[in-house]
Amino acid sequence: MSSRRLLKAAEAIREVVAASILTDIRDPRVENVTVINVDVAPDMREAKVYVSVMGDETQKQLSLRGLQNAAGFLQSKIANRLDTRYTPRLRFEIDRGQENAAAVGEILARIQRERDGVAEPVATSDESGVEATPSDDPTNGDASAPTPEGS
């Protein structure tokens, strides 16, 4: 089977599933779901639908279960759209691309801050128990600078 046909089938499946999630599925577990991508097996018997879910891990798992329960309904919608011998069996997976991109971005930002030598100010306390940051110190760590008491 040509890869062009697989790509067209994957795009058609993505459109049908995304539209059905928005308009047809009434399951309260399936909310804040975005269809990211669809991979179709070469024999067109299986399709992995990658979704992104806004919320915590519990919400993601609930939405995934709701989508799996609605898979038969979604397959019937796909069968109406695609003219193929087999209707692909749908498997839903959480797409972790956004989370991974955010984690990599944070790591790169931390590395950049370390390279620039910008360290977070460390709070120190003087004898009075009042915390002061290094920028609050009038002598800036210079022991030879005159102090207000000695003047």
Side-chain angles (χ1 to χ4, degrees):
M1 202 169 294
S2 73
S3 63
R4 181 180 172 122
R5 184 172 180 203
L6 288 176
L7 290 174
K8 287 178 78 175
E11 183 61 22
I13 292 169
R14 189 190 68 75
E15 288 175 5
V16 169
V17 171
S20 295
I21 287 173
L22 285 175
T23 60
D24 298 331
I25 294 181
R26 304 270 189 254
D27 192 338
R29 297 176 292 182
V30 181
E31 59 184 23
N32 299 326
V33 175
T34 304
V35 179
I36 303 294
N37 192 21
V38 175
D39 287 337
V40 180
D43 62 357
M44 297 262 311
R45 290 188 182 224
E46 186 173 298
K48 285 185 188 175
V49 180
Y50 295 96
V51 296
S52 174
V53 180
M54 297 297 292
D56 60 355
E57 195 60 36
T58 306
Q59 177 61 37
K60 290 177 183 181
Q61 293 306 319
L62 278 174
S63 294
L64 204 58
R65 259 188 264 134
L67 287 170
Q68 279 303 137
N69 289 345
F73 171 74
L74 294 170
Q75 284 174 217
S76 67
K77 292 277 200 182
I78 292 168
N80 293 337
R81 171 87 182 263
L82 294 179
D83 185 28
T84 60
R85 179 175 294 172
Y86 302 106
T87 301
R89 181 177 304 265
L90 299 179
R91 283 194 356 205
F92 293 93
E93 293 188 17
I94 300 289
D95 182 44
R96 305 275 183 197
Q98 298 286 342
E99 295 169 11
N100 293 343
V104 168
E106 176 59 35
I107 291 169
L108 290 174
R110 188 172 349 130
I111 290 171
Q112 186 64 37
R113 285 191 306 266
E114 289 174 4
R115 279 190 180 162
D116 292 344
V118 177
E120 275 96 49
V122 178
T124 59
S125 64
D126 59 3
E127 293 134 18
S128 64
V130 177
E131 289 190 8
T133 59
S135 62
D136 294 339
D137 185 16
T139 62
N140 287 332
D142 188 9
S144 64
T147 61
E149 295 91 21
S151 301

